Amino acid sequence: MIKVYPQFEEDLLVRLFHKGVKSQWTVEDVNWEDPIQFNEEQAHALARMLTPVYLGEQSAMIGASVALPQMAGAGETTAQLYLSSFLMDEARHFEVLTRLYQRLQADPLTIRQMPEMLRYHNRLRKGDRLDWVWGILISDIFAKNFYSLYAKSQPEALFGKLSGRILKDESRHQAFAEHYLKGALPTVPFERYKVLLDMKDELLMIMDAMYYRLRDDAETVGMDGRQFLDRLREDIETKARRIGLDETKGPDSREGRRKIVPGFGKGVASSSSHSPLSFKALKPAKCTTCYLALLCQTPLFRRAQCV
């Protein structure tokens, strides 16, 4: 897994890594005296609604620490480089949201109160690094839509400003996941392709279940939860088609389909991309001194219709 001098090529992931390094910020850069712009009831409703996002930041941090050695083992050097900055981002979001709960004087929901969160977390942990990146992309789209609401509606409030900061990080995370999946999906077999489609539907169903528990809180803070989820589903479906994960077109319809091999974006052409081997293309040998001549004398070859 560990290489002293691994293959290293300048690509989008390296540029995203540089951008992330230059954009680092900490909890100390936040003005925690900024107004909240929520009354007590709304603050508690926001704390409840923020819980799935809060757990999502923790899940992403833990998941990245598992996916990183897998990428190292596959020789995906620039992906593991970028993921190091991704870990820093998620750790920062986790710390900042913890501090926000203290400022709101409210607690997040527990797993007992919303068990769907555990189902969501466990689904992200299943499978390999490809499953994880796809799950992270779905989660990041959810986070982008959620944070965008407050970055736009409360630009001068504490949570609005925090949302604006976090959105910049999330945009890099989405770019990473989209780039990674675009490179990997053309190599996956049909069975693997179907698992990823099913994963998307499963996560969306869990999101619907979480909304059902939070619909009163959404109304309290003036959010149309149903409209939010409809827009989220549309965004995820659009992103899926963009990366090549399209329910209307199976992987067998893709030109130049390749077999999966370790390493993102690498593959070998399958035999289906070449003319099929035929005995009619062979001619019987005229000599008796080579290995092929011995094959020509076998019953199988003699039964073939040689030309």
Side-chain angles (χ1 to χ4, degrees), residues 5 65 86 110 151 168 238 253 271 279 281 307:
Y5 193 32
S65 65
F86 177 99
T110 65
K168 293 179 181 178
T238 299
S253 67
S271 59
F279 279 117
V307 295

Side-chain angles (χ1 to χ4, degrees), residues 66-78:
V66 175
L68 201 154
Q70 292 183 20
M71 292 175 177
E76 298 168 3
T77 306
T78 58

